[in-house]
Amino acid sequence: MNWFPIFINLQDARCLVVGGGAVALRKTRQLLAFGACVSVVAPQLHDELAELLHDGRVVHAGRAFESDMLANCALAIAATGDSTVNRKVSETARALRVPVNVVDDPSLCDFITPAIVQRDPIVVAVSSRGAAPVIAREIKSWIEAQLPRSLGVLADVAGSFRVRVKTRIASPLARRRFWERVLGNAVANSGSGESADDFRRMIEAALHSSAAPQSRGMVHLVGAGPGDAELLTLKALRLLQRADVVLHDDLVSGDVLELVRPEAERIPVGKRCGKHKMAQADINALMVTLASQGKRVIRLKGGDPLIFGRCGEEMEALADAGIPFEVVPGITAASGCAVDAAIPLTHRDYAHSCVFINGHRNTGDTDIRWPAYSTAGQTLVVYMGLNHLASISHALRLRGWPKFTAAALIANGTRPDRQVLVGTLADLPETVKRRQPVAPALLIVGDVVNLHYKLISPQDGANEPPGVRDAASEQIWQIA
């Protein structure tokens, strides 16, 4: 991205609009809304633009554009519909170092005008870098519908309390949390009819009842889901945007990490199968230390933290240290990967139960009590079994699972580089060895895997022979 979003003060600034049609009218109104003094250059004017002249809000030059018209201008907009004139305005403005916008031609622009949602003094700007203005307007409409009309009133009232709150609550961290709590509740509960007095009473009550800042913070153990950032829960997203520090596993995708509050400290702690940057005991100690400093700590884990995420151990450590904590569930890898492979984990005709097991033991072996798992009417989901797939397949077959039992290995499920390898317990290990998928990967075993061929969409290769579905190769099927 090479367009830096910025807000500029145009109060009483002289701005030039070249053009007299409907587009020029729209741009002129936008500039006037932010306090600019607008000069319009055009031989003829749109009727509504001419009315603005009568109100004394706009100055009109009824002749062709000339370079001296840019003198003392804060910015210029070319909206003539004539590419030759627009280019001349752009080249002249750039030579004079006056920022210029040419409507519908980003190559001639120094700045672009976004779609704007205004709740003065709150302004939300949405831009597509000029590539898809209709999309930007659609997003604007969605935001417009979400933000209460009284939001600007709330912002003004909150601004009038800043000095008092700063005097009453000296700690910057405690002060930020006070505003998060008060304003978060106000926005969540506001409609359109709240007055400034309503908001003043609300903030006064919160200020008078605010207790002394606690010496200890809190830890949120948050599930980041299988990779796709859109699969985060709303609660997880809200917490990520309020965090002071985030301790994250390697399995957490970059798209999810981009949603963390920019000012928050990010600490990678590893926790990928076989590769740990930090021992679990050290992670536990770090969480306790950070929370004891009054920080809001997020322990961010791939998938669901309570399913093979060692979250239970961390909860115990926090409880022993007297640190308050909360667990926020996430979509586990089994659900995410099954959806990616079009495999239902249960089905009335094929599987009446589903079992999750860990294919990688604490000791590094695969000494799992396989006899406990039935071979009939059951789906088996094996986490962290990629490096032991051959031995897992062998162990299952020794304990009664037929060698032709359908099996699928999904690597990087829900992510752009996902791979779905489908076969049987007998041949899947060889397919995996040949294709060499990378972790994280999850194994699904059972008759439900056969539904993959029927349920996957036709464009993704339905009714094709067993093989590989690879997102990196546009989901083209290949014989395994």
Side-chain angles (χ1 to χ4, degrees):
M1 177 178 287
N2 54 350
W3 294 94
F4 180 71
I6 190 171
F7 289 89
I8 183 171
N9 184 359
L10 292 181
Q11 185 66 44
D12 298 325
R14 183 169 179 268
C15 300
L16 185 72
V17 175
V18 183
V23 177
L25 170 64
R26 187 172 72 248
K27 298 299 182 183
T28 299
R29 282 176 169 167
Q30 289 176 342
L31 293 171
L32 291 174
F34 288 89
C37 301
V38 183
S39 297
V40 176
V41 178
Q44 295 181 330
L45 294 180
H46 188 284
D47 290 345
E48 293 182 45
L49 193 52
E51 291 178 6
L52 295 178
L53 295 180
H54 297 152
D55 294 339
R57 303 173 65 190
V58 176
V59 176
H60 177 221
R63 53 194 173 93
F65 168 76
E66 297 177 6
S67 61
D68 62 350
M69 296 175 175
L70 287 166
N72 301 316
C73 280
L75 57 83
I77 297 177
T80 69
D82 185 322
S83 59
T84 301
V85 175
N86 286 349
R87 180 173 292 277
K88 180 181 178 181
V89 174
S90 175
E91 292 174 349
T92 305
R94 286 176 165 178
L96 296 173
R97 297 189 180 278
V98 175
V100 63
N101 170 267
V102 176
V103 176
D104 292 334
D105 195 342
S107 67
L108 297 179
C109 294
D110 292 323
F111 70 92
I112 48 183
T113 55
I116 294 172
V117 179
Q118 191 166 356
R119 299 285 189 272
D120 190 38
I122 301 298
V123 178
V124 180
V126 182
S127 172
S128 65
R129 296 181 293 174
V134 173
I135 293 178
R137 287 196 295 271
E138 287 296 312
I139 296 173
K140 170 201 168 179
S141 299
W142 181 83
I143 296 174
E144 187 93 45
Q146 305 302 312
L147 298 183
R149 292 288 173 182
S150 57
L151 188 62
V153 177
L154 173 60
D156 277 330
V157 172
S160 70
F161 274 84
R162 288 185 64 186
V163 174
R164 286 184 57 192
V165 172
K166 187 174 183 179
T167 302
R168 175 70 179 272
I169 306 175
S171 164
L173 179 61
R175 194 161 58 245
R176 176 166 65 82
R177 291 185 179 173
F178 169 83
W179 282 121
E180 286 176 348
R181 183 178 71 255
V182 173
L183 298 182
N185 290 337
V187 171
N189 297 320
S190 65
S192 300
E194 288 81 5
S195 67
D197 287 340
D198 293 329
F199 289 129
R200 287 192 190 95
R201 285 191 290 269
M202 177 198 67
I203 297 176
E204 286 277 11
L207 193 57
H208 286 305
S209 64
S210 61
Q214 296 181 353
S215 60
R216 292 194 172 188
M218 183 169 182
V219 176
H220 297 273
L221 302 149
V222 177
D228 184 351
E230 292 189 354
L231 295 179
L232 274 178
T233 65
L234 292 175
K235 188 169 188 176
L237 176 60
R238 177 174 58 82
L239 291 172
L240 289 179
Q241 295 176 344
R242 292 185 176 184
D244 298 314
V245 58
V246 176
L247 281 62
H248 63 88
D249 290 348
D250 284 346
L251 293 178
V252 177
S253 71
D255 289 342
V256 171
L257 290 176
E258 286 182 4
L259 299 174
V260 174
R261 188 172 72 95
E263 297 82 5
E265 181 182 4
R266 302 180 190 183
I267 302 176
V269 295
K271 307 305 292 178
R272 181 186 289 265
C273 181
K275 299 178 181 178
H276 294 178
K277 292 180 181 177
M278 188 178 293
Q280 185 63 57
D282 294 332
I283 295 174
N284 296 345
L286 182 57
M287 288 190 297
V288 170
T289 298
L290 292 170
S292 298
Q293 295 170 355
K295 295 181 178 179
R296 183 181 285 119
V297 181
I298 304 295
R299 175 69 178 97
L300 192 60
K301 300 168 170 286
D304 182 277
L306 287 171
I307 298 181
F308 304 126
R310 304 187 70 174
C311 183
E313 300 170 47
E314 294 174 350
M315 294 166 68
E316 287 183 297
L318 294 169
D320 290 342
I323 299 295
F325 63 86
E326 178 187 23
V327 178
V328 180
I331 292 179
T332 187
S335 296
C337 291
V339 167
D340 238 10
I343 298 172
L345 294 177
T346 62
H347 189 289
R348 187 172 61 177
D349 296 332
Y350 301 99
H352 55 74
S353 66
C354 180
V355 176
F356 296 171
I357 62 174
N358 184 347
H360 182 82
R361 309 294 284 174
N362 287 342
T363 58
D365 60 30
T366 55
D367 184 19
I368 300 171
R369 292 176 295 172
W370 299 108
Y373 307 114
S374 169
T375 63
Q378 180 169 270
T379 302
L380 195 62
V381 179
V382 184
Y383 285 67
M384 295 171 281
L386 176 60
N387 294 332
H388 305 284
L389 181 58
S391 59
I392 290 172
S393 174
H394 180 69
L396 288 174
R397 284 182 287 148
L398 284 178
R399 289 161 176 81
W401 289 74
K403 66 178 182 179
F404 50 80
T405 302
L409 186 127
I410 303 98
N412 289 304
T414 78
R415 307 184 191 208
D417 57 346
R418 70 188 180 278
Q419 285 182 296
V420 181
L421 286 71
V422 182
T424 67
L425 281 179
D427 62 30
L428 185 60
E430 183 59 32
T431 300
V432 169
K433 182 179 179 180
R434 185 168 63 254
R435 297 286 295 187
Q436 295 188 331
V438 296
L442 181 132
L443 175 67
I444 302 177
V445 181
D447 291 341
V448 290
V449 175
N450 288 317
L451 290 168
H452 166 81
Y453 306 115
K454 179 179 181 179
L455 300 180
I456 195 162
S457 58
Q459 64 267 27
D460 286 347
N463 303 317
E464 294 291 334
V468 179
R469 183 164 69 92
D470 187 341
S473 59
E474 299 181 344
Q475 299 179 339
I476 297 175
W477 281 74
Q478 300 175 357
I479 302 299

